[in-house]
């Protein structure tokens, strides 16, 4: 759409990066559109900013529609684009990310798209601009993964230190020494040891912890 004066018009969209952890694997929610430019390509969820909405309201609507979940950690990452100076419609995106613990809940369609959780370590090829958004989100989460404990938003109410270590290793893309990681986490004062153990992963089992409130 061209502006009456010949200048380009600007379309504002909200892109929502939704990360989930099921206790074993970190996953990213992607959608595949049945038509349009992104047809048959996996991409990050997004939608146009409606006239009656604020950016956060659009992000909340995307999240609620796709996952059925409303009360999860969500925050704005930043704005991307528009690029170039050509005439015609250009697109700028305001990007949010959410962190949630997932338990196999049903996903729902947004504008006839097909939503699906993907293992973070086995992601399909995404559009270039979406790869940039995801990389910036990952850098932000890594930087803020200790204080405040941002990654704890992905955990269930009770979790083990091995689960916590696996989550940190997946996000940071590196392996941590078990003893050092455990000692560092326990000295933060953020963990409260529980009386029961998770015994599916080993015979000895691992104690459950909760986050100190």
């Amino acid at each position: 759409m061209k502006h009456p004066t010949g200048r380009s018009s600007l379309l504002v969209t909200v892109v929502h990066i939704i990360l989930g952890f099921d206790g074993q694997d970190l996953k990213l929610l992607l959608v595949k559109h049945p038509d349009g430019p992104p047809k048959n390509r996996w991409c990050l969820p997004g939608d146009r900013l409606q006239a009656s909405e604020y950016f956060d309201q659009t992000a909340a609507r995307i999240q609620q529609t796709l996952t059925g979940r409303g009360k999860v950690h969500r925050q704005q990452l930043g704005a991307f684009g528009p690029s170039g100076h050509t005439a015609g419609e250009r697109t700028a995106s305001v990007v949010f990310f959410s962190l949630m613990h997932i338990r196999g809940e049903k996903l729902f369609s947004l504008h006839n798209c097909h939503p699906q959780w993907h293992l973070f370590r086995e992601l399909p090829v995404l559009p270039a601009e979406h790869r940039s958004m995801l990389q910036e989100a990952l850098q932000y989460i890594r930087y803020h993964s200790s204080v405040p404990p941002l990654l704890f938003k992905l955990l269930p109410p009770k979790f083990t230190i091995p689960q916590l270590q696996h989550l940190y290793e997946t996000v940071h893309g590196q392996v941590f020494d078990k003893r050092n990681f455990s000692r560092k986490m326990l000295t933060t004062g953020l963990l409260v040891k529980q009386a029961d153990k998770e015994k599916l992963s080993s015979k000895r089992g691992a104690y459950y912890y909760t986050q100190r409130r």
Side-chain angles (χ1 to χ4, degrees), residues 120-133:
F120 198 79
R121 64 177 182 271
E122 299 176 1
L123 294 178
V125 177
L126 301 176
E129 64 273 19
H130 285 192
R131 291 199 302 270
S132 297
M133 295 171 186

Side-chain angles (χ1 to χ4, degrees), residues 172-190:
H172 286 270
Q174 59 181 296
V175 176
F176 300 115
D177 179 79
K178 290 183 179 180
R179 290 185 180 180
N180 288 339
F181 181 86
S182 179
R183 182 170 59 251
K184 182 177 179 179
M185 285 297 165
L186 291 175
T187 57
T188 62
L190 295 171

Side-chain angles (χ1 to χ4, degrees), residues 1 22 36 45 74 85 95 116 119 141 143 149 185-186 212:
M1 183 175 67
D22 63 5
R74 180 180 66 252
H85 300 281
V95 181
Q116 182 176 306
L119 291 175
I141 293 169
Y143 184 78
M185 285 297 165
L186 291 175
R212 190 180 301 277

Side-chain angles (χ1 to χ4, degrees), residues 17 77 97 132-142:
I17 299 170
L77 179 67
F97 71 86
S132 297
M133 295 171 186
L134 182 60
Q135 184 60 33
E136 185 154 330
L138 188 59
Q139 290 177 353
Y140 180 92
I141 293 169
R142 285 172 176 169

Side-chain angles (χ1 to χ4, degrees), residues 39-119:
K39 181 179 180 180
N40 294 327
R41 292 190 65 184
W42 290 109
C43 56
L44 297 171
D47 201 6
R48 293 190 179 195
L49 177 71
Q50 303 299 317
S52 60
E53 292 178 330
Y54 294 105
F55 294 130
D56 184 72
Q57 291 174 320
T58 305
R61 173 170 57 81
I62 294 170
Q63 171 190 297
Q64 180 74 44
T65 302
L66 290 172
T67 69
R69 303 270 297 278
K71 294 183 179 180
V72 301
H73 180 83
R74 180 180 66 252
Q75 68 183 80
Q76 185 174 325
L77 179 67
F80 291 74
S83 60
H85 300 281
T86 58
E89 189 175 68
R90 297 191 298 159
T91 300
S93 297
V94 178
V95 181
F96 286 75
F97 71 86
S98 288
L99 305 176
M100 64 176 71
H101 175 66
I102 53 178
R103 302 174 295 273
E105 298 95 335
K106 181 181 178 181
L107 296 175
F108 305 91
S109 178
L110 174 67
H111 302 316
N112 297 318
C113 74
H114 174 60
Q116 182 176 306
W117 289 109
H118 291 256
L119 291 175

